[in-house]
Amino acid sequence: MKGMMLNALLGVMLGRFGSVWRLLVFVPIVAAEVGYGLCVYNLSAGACLRRGTALLICGQLAFLLGALLRPIANPR
């Protein structure tokens, strides 16, 4: 649950203030979280794949939410 919150917060911040290329930040973070789950909780390969996918999707959706929070440019 902590991993989802970390990815959501990071995604919103990157979406609000960053560009889409900064989404690559999620890859090492998700790899570290999956590795932690593998070592500490002895997750199977399928569980690691599901957890990693869920973490990436959570981060990407939060990025889109952050992008929606950007101010609209003045059309003048």
Side-chain angles (χ1 to χ4, degrees):
M1 187 65 170
K2 292 177 188 175
M4 293 280 186
M5 295 299 289
L6 172 69
N7 283 4
L9 181 63
L10 184 63
V12 169
M13 295 302 289
L14 285 176
R16 175 76 168 92
F17 300 111
S19 68
V20 73
W21 289 107
R22 293 196 181 170
L23 279 175
L24 294 174
V25 168
F26 287 119
V27 175
I29 292 172
V30 168
E33 291 173 352
V34 169
Y36 176 78
L38 182 67
C39 293
V40 173
Y41 300 115
N42 297 324
L43 297 177
S44 65
C48 286
L49 184 64
R50 286 189 302 269
R51 180 171 171 83
T53 303
L55 289 169
L56 281 174
I57 290 172
C58 176
Q60 290 171 355
L61 290 175
F63 180 86
L64 291 174
L65 178 65
L68 287 174
L69 293 173
R70 288 183 182 169
I72 297 174
N74 195 356
R76 290 185 204 179

